[in-house]
Amino acid sequence: MINNRISPRTQSIVFIGFMGVGKTTIGQLVAKKLYRDFIDIDQEIEKEYNMPTTEIFKKIGEKAFREKEKSLIEHFSQQPLKIISVGGGAFLQEEIRKICLANCTVFFLDLSWEYWKDRISLIIDSRPVLQGRTLEEIEELFNNRQEIYSYHHSKVKTDGLDVEEVADYIVESLKVTWDIRE
């Protein structure tokens, strides 16, 4: 469903990118700077099922997780003034891509493999898609997903930047875009 009634200044903002690139952390900072509500789709799913994502994948399955993910993204993307972080695999679903691109401003947080692999020890336990894979398999997954992240409105290269710098850049670029459109 597409909501054409929301102006660019008030439409929600969606952060996409591979797991562990900082969508939640940066999204929270941008939300604070723009005085908007922050929604992490994975956390919303965990609240609904009352268990972590890894348990949801084991007990209920990835298919049920992806269906719930689509439903929540569709709901929140049609509301104004939200900052939404979607899971690294959400954009694998064409319907989710279309919903987000039609209703929101989509930012791709682009972190290179060289920078990303330094984070693996911090995130592997909480990411069911990474568990049981070799570093080479994870790199292949990382590279394969880059194509789905090419569907966005704006890309931010985050290599070597801290989260404050990225959030400030995003806020400033949005303000410039909003001023141009008015």
Side-chain angles (χ1 to χ4, degrees):
M1 183 184 287
I2 297 172
N3 187 348
N4 291 322
R5 295 175 310 218
I6 299 176
S7 77
R9 185 180 286 273
T10 60
Q11 72 184 177
S12 288
I13 297 161
V14 172
F15 288 104
I16 65 168
F18 198 66
M19 58 195 96
V21 299
K23 296 181 299 286
T24 297
T25 305
I26 292 165
Q28 289 171 328
L29 278 171
V30 171
K32 186 177 178 185
K33 291 172 186 289
L34 293 176
Y35 305 98
R36 293 184 177 206
D37 292 331
F38 175 75
I39 286 97
D40 181 295
I41 296 297
D42 286 353
Q43 288 174 2
E44 293 294 317
I45 296 169
E46 289 176 346
K47 274 195 269 183
E48 194 154 318
Y49 285 110
N50 199 29
M51 63 179 87
T53 302
T54 50
E55 289 298 307
I56 296 168
F57 268 61
K58 286 177 191 169
K59 293 181 178 174
I60 300 166
E62 184 175 0
K63 186 175 188 284
F65 178 89
R66 296 294 177 202
E67 287 170 5
K68 178 56 67 182
E69 178 179 60
K70 181 176 155 277
S71 168
L72 287 170
I73 291 170
E74 187 170 27
H75 170 73
F76 286 116
S77 72
Q78 294 178 52
Q79 296 180 15
L81 303 171
K82 303 284 186 235
I83 304 291
I84 305 165
S85 169
V86 301
F91 256 45
L92 292 170
Q93 295 184 61
E94 185 178 1
E95 281 184 82
I96 288 177
R97 283 195 308 267
K98 286 180 177 178
I99 289 165
C100 290
L101 290 165
N103 294 313
C104 304
T105 300
V106 177
F107 276 90
F108 167 39
L109 299 181
D110 185 18
L111 184 68
S112 72
W113 171 254
E114 292 308 310
Y115 277 86
W116 184 87
K117 70 181 180 180
D118 292 339
R119 300 177 180 195
I120 195 165
S121 63
L122 303 172
I123 65 168
I124 195 158
D125 291 339
S126 63
R127 313 299 165 142
V129 174
L130 298 181
Q131 293 175 5
R133 292 182 189 239
T134 65
L135 189 60
E136 292 76 25
E137 290 170 330
I138 294 170
E139 183 177 11
E140 185 178 340
L141 178 67
F142 179 93
N143 291 326
N144 289 342
R145 287 206 178 163
Q146 296 309 301
E147 184 180 336
I148 66 160
Y149 302 138
S150 68
Y151 300 95
H152 58 263
H153 296 110
S154 188
K155 176 169 86 171
V156 182
K157 189 76 171 157
T158 62
D159 288 4
L161 300 176
D162 70 33
V163 293
E164 270 306 323
E165 291 172 310
V166 176
D168 287 342
Y169 172 82
I170 290 166
V171 168
E172 289 308 310
S173 70
L174 284 165
K175 288 178 179 177
V176 168
T177 302
W178 293 335
D179 288 343
I180 290 171
R181 289 183 178 174
E182 288 186 348

